[in-house]
């Protein structure tokens, strides 16, 4: 077995074990393979092994990846900081944009998706780490964003995304994951039209067990699959 296949198998076992502890069904958790900076050959190997969802955190990197990997099985997620003016470049292919945090970006996704007459799924990224580290909307802004999204046609909100603080001890970020889960429950009444809050995208290599215990339905995993990155 190749190193990647081996890591893939180990990761799946890790996810299953975490699901048993949390008394959850592994089938309700989507694994996003975050391939940033890694070669296409690694991605192709994972596709061969059965992996479907792939994520990139830079617009250009996603663009390049979607052009070079033509296997229609792959489902593409954009997971990084998103400049509104980059949306048009990914709109013909991207399946999920996980990092929407303002109405203006939703409006642009809707415009571009309608041009291609295709659906784009989005998650609303919420700032759960505090820290003034500006990734995601503030919790108070979520209601307005979701209300706006209810009436969109080509853009479907499927849940919330959160980036936890970087920490060596995954227990440190448990309150951040709890917050994302609580925010979803508090906004359930806004599930209407194009808004559905099924998904919670939280959990990376270092903290996936805690994320699963706190209700994650989408794990974004890089290192455990592709090995260490050089940055
Ligand atoms: C890189 C990245 C990940 C994956 O991180 P690992 O710790 O390597 O698993 C997840 N989400 C985002 C937004 C990332 O940029």
């Amino acid at each position: 077995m190749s190193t990647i296949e081996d890591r893939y198998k180990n990761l799946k076992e890790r996810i299953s074990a975490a699901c048993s502890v949390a008394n959850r069904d592994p089938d309700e958790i989507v694994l996003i393979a975050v391939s940033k900076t890694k070669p296409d050959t690694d991605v192709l190997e994972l596709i061969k092994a059965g992996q479907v969802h792939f994520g990139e955190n830079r617009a250009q990197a996603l663009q390049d990846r979607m052009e070079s990997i033509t296997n229609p099985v792959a489902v593409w997620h954009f997971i990084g900081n998103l400049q509104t003016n980059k949306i048009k470049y990914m709109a013909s292919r991207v399946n999920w944009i996980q990092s929407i945090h303002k109405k203006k970006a939703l409006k642009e996704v809707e415009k571009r998706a309608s041009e291609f007459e295709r659906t784009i799924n989005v998650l609303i990224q919420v700032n759960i780490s505090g820290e003034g580290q500006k990734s995601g909307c503030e919790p108070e802004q979520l209601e307005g964003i979701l209300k706006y999204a209810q009436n969109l046609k080509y853009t479907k909100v499927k849940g919330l995304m959160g980036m936890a603080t970087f920490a060596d001890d995954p227990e440190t970020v448990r309150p951040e994951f709890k917050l994302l889960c609580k925010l979803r429950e508090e906004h359930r009444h806004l599930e209407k039209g194009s808004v559905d809050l099924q998904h919670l995208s939280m959990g990376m290599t270092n903290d996936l067990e805690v994320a699963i215990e706190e209700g994650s339905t989408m794990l974004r995993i890089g290192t455990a699959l592709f090995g260490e990155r050089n940055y």
Side-chain angles (χ1 to χ4, degrees):
M1 220 189 286
S2 74
T3 315
I4 292 249
E5 277 177 288
D6 224 18
R7 291 202 194 100
Y8 190 44
K9 188 167 154 274
N10 290 340
L11 175 62
K12 285 188 155 175
E13 283 167 9
R14 214 179 131 191
I15 294 170
S16 295
C19 284
S20 322
V21 171
N23 203 5
R24 295 190 53 200
D25 178 356
D27 287 344
E28 66 187 39
I29 296 176
V30 182
L31 171 60
I32 320 290
V34 179
S35 48
K36 60 191 183 193
T37 78
K38 300 295 179 179
D40 287 344
T41 46
D42 287 1
V43 173
L44 290 168
E45 237 185 285
L46 271 183
I47 291 177
K48 220 167 106 196
Q51 177 61 19
V52 170
H53 295 266
F54 291 89
E56 290 286 342
N57 71 332
R58 288 179 41 247
Q60 187 59 51
L62 178 67
Q63 217 31 40
D64 293 346
R65 197 74 85 186
M66 293 190 300
E67 262 164 44
S68 55
I69 309 279
T70 52
N71 190 327
V73 158
V75 173
W76 300 107
H77 294 246
F78 184 73
I79 62 173
N81 274 340
L82 183 59
Q83 285 171 278
T84 307
N85 65 1
K86 297 284 165 62
I87 293 171
K88 57 177 177 288
Y89 301 118
M90 59 180 81
S92 67
R93 279 216 181 87
V94 71
N95 303 100
W96 291 73
I97 300 177
Q98 298 211 2
S99 40
I100 296 288
H101 67 283
K102 54 187 180 187
K103 289 181 210 168
K104 191 176 149 213
L106 276 176
K107 190 176 172 194
E108 177 69 6
V109 172
E110 181 71 3
K111 178 177 166 201
R112 300 302 174 180
S114 78
E115 285 171 6
F116 292 103
E117 292 190 49
R118 61 191 299 271
T119 297
I120 297 179
N121 296 315
V122 303
L123 301 179
I124 308 302
Q125 183 175 1
V126 187
N127 178 9
I128 53 172
S129 66
E131 289 190 340
Q133 158 192 308
K134 295 260 178 280
S135 51
C137 70
E138 294 307 315
E140 312 78 70
Q141 296 171 310
L142 195 50
E143 178 170 349
I145 294 172
L146 293 175
K147 280 185 175 157
Y148 177 80
Q150 287 172 341
N151 301 313
L152 300 175
K153 187 172 163 203
Y154 296 94
T155 312
K156 306 288 180 193
V157 173
K158 297 288 183 187
L160 307 179
M161 186 269 224
M163 280 285 280
T165 312
F166 181 79
D168 287 327
D169 177 5
E171 277 306 321
T172 321
V173 299
R174 189 184 292 277
E176 299 176 13
F177 293 154
K178 273 195 197 301
L179 171 62
L180 197 66
C181 192
K182 174 173 153 258
L183 286 170
R184 174 180 54 180
E185 294 326 305
E186 287 172 359
H187 292 82
R188 280 282 194 196
H189 65 285
L190 297 172
E191 287 187 305
K192 211 182 93 187
S194 284
V195 173
D196 142 17
L197 297 176
Q198 180 194 343
H199 285 290
L200 287 180
S201 174
M202 56 189 201
M204 314 191 343
T205 293
N206 199 36
D207 51 24
L208 71 89
E209 283 83 3
V210 177
I212 288 173
E213 282 174 36
E214 298 304 333
S216 172
T217 69
M218 278 191 174
L219 299 169
R220 306 181 309 270
I221 308 292
T223 310
L225 280 170
F226 298 97
E228 296 289 339
R229 288 177 300 270
N230 297 324
Y231 72 91

